Amino acid sequence: MESVGMKFEHAKWLFIAGLIAGVIGNFTFEYDYGATFLLSNAVWLAGVYYLAEWYRSRDIFKNSLYSFIVSLIYMYVIYADFLKEFAEVRELEKKGVLDIAVALGLATDPLLLYLGFLILSWPFLVVSSYFLRRAFRRLGEVGGVGAFNTAAKLIWIGAWISVIFVGYFIIMVGYIFSLIGAFGLKQPQKQATDQSPPPPGNAGFEIVVS
């Protein structure tokens, strides 16, 4: 009995640790070029995978994985390029020649650069949030934790209005609710006397279309 509980708790704490590190990774990307982001998501996905096994709901992991793949494109193709160009703009600002460079077409105005980033990143953020919303809603359903439903709504709404700064703030609040929900996850009652979680591919898995 104890070993089963520890296995479930281990999966839950992997999930929690990944969520926390993932939030930190969004702020450190400029300095570690996504190392924290990648590591946190690896830990988070491992936790999601085992939680999905315990709850016999493979779609939790599948949707989380799809969300990660889309966010990976967003972070390394769009966000990384934005940081590179923005660093060049700051160098020109330090040299006091930014206005001249912009006038000559050698540099992009910072405001236009930021607006371009928002426009390009928006579709990826919405798609990634769509899959994460499905994963959190299902996790909230099978885990009996309403905070995940709130997190799913906030992240989804925040993604849609991410073209303005308040959207990112709403997404962060959504992640806080997902953390609250993670701490409230309980080991499935039907599995409490099992010696191990169900194997992948168990007939009890199902796909839920939201």
Side-chain angles (χ1 to χ4, degrees), residues 58-119:
R58 181 179 290 173
D59 52 304
I60 295 174
F61 176 73
K62 288 175 64 176
N63 284 305
S64 297
L65 180 61
Y66 296 155
S67 176
F68 167 67
I69 292 173
V70 176
S71 66
L72 198 64
I73 299 172
Y74 157 72
M75 294 295 284
Y76 279 95
V77 176
I78 298 177
Y79 188 50
D81 184 64
F82 167 75
L83 289 177
K84 179 182 177 182
E85 292 189 32
F86 195 68
E88 294 175 354
V89 167
R90 283 187 296 185
E91 283 299 315
L92 291 174
E93 284 181 325
K94 291 178 181 178
K95 295 177 181 178
V97 295
L98 177 60
D99 292 338
I100 298 174
V102 170
L104 295 175
L106 301 175
T108 306
D109 182 272
L111 179 59
L112 292 178
L113 179 61
Y114 183 65
L115 289 176
F117 163 73
L118 290 178
I119 293 172

Side-chain angles (χ1 to χ4, degrees), residues 4-31:
V4 175
M6 287 300 292
K7 289 178 181 177
F8 178 81
E9 289 298 314
H10 179 64
K12 186 172 81 171
W13 280 104
L14 279 176
F15 180 76
I16 292 172
L19 279 175
I20 296 174
V23 172
I24 297 173
N26 286 321
F27 293 101
T28 62
F29 193 96
E30 182 178 0
Y31 307 101

Side-chain angles (χ1 to χ4, degrees), residues 10-200:
H10 179 64
K12 186 172 81 171
W13 280 104
L14 279 176
F15 180 76
I16 292 172
L19 279 175
I20 296 174
V23 172
I24 297 173
N26 286 321
F27 293 101
T28 62
F29 193 96
E30 182 178 0
Y31 307 101
D32 62 15
Y33 205 68
T36 303
F37 171 79
L38 288 175
L39 179 61
S40 64
N41 275 277
V43 173
W44 175 70
L45 284 172
V48 171
Y49 176 79
Y50 289 111
L51 286 176
E53 285 191 350
W54 277 103
Y55 287 118
R56 298 180 180 269
S57 189
R58 181 179 290 173
D59 52 304
I60 295 174
F61 176 73
K62 288 175 64 176
N63 284 305
S64 297
L65 180 61
Y66 296 155
S67 176
F68 167 67
I69 292 173
V70 176
S71 66
L72 198 64
I73 299 172
Y74 157 72
M75 294 295 284
Y76 279 95
V77 176
I78 298 177
Y79 188 50
D81 184 64
F82 167 75
L83 289 177
K84 179 182 177 182
E85 292 189 32
F86 195 68
E88 294 175 354
V89 167
R90 283 187 296 185
E91 283 299 315
L92 291 174
E93 284 181 325
K94 291 178 181 178
K95 295 177 181 178
V97 295
L98 177 60
D99 292 338
I100 298 174
V102 170
L104 295 175
L106 301 175
T108 306
D109 182 272
L111 179 59
L112 292 178
L113 179 61
Y114 183 65
L115 289 176
F117 163 73
L118 290 178
I119 293 172
L120 288 174
S121 64
W122 181 79
F124 290 91
L125 192 56
V126 169
V127 174
S128 177
S129 298
Y130 167 75
F131 288 115
L132 190 59
R133 169 176 171 259
R134 294 179 64 178
F136 279 175
R137 286 177 62 182
R138 182 59 177 159
L139 187 56
E141 179 183 342
V142 298
V145 182
F148 280 111
N149 295 319
T150 303
K153 291 177 183 178
L154 291 173
I155 292 173
W156 181 238
I157 293 172
W160 275 98
I161 61 174
S162 60
V163 289
I164 56 178
F165 182 75
V166 69
Y168 289 95
F169 176 76
I170 293 175
I171 291 174
M172 293 302 298
V173 174
Y175 275 105
I176 292 175
F177 272 94
S178 71
L179 270 173
I180 295 173
F183 281 105
L185 288 173
K186 305 295 183 185
Q187 182 175 320
Q189 292 298 317
K190 292 182 180 180
Q191 317 248 354
T193 58
D194 291 346
Q195 294 303 311
S196 61

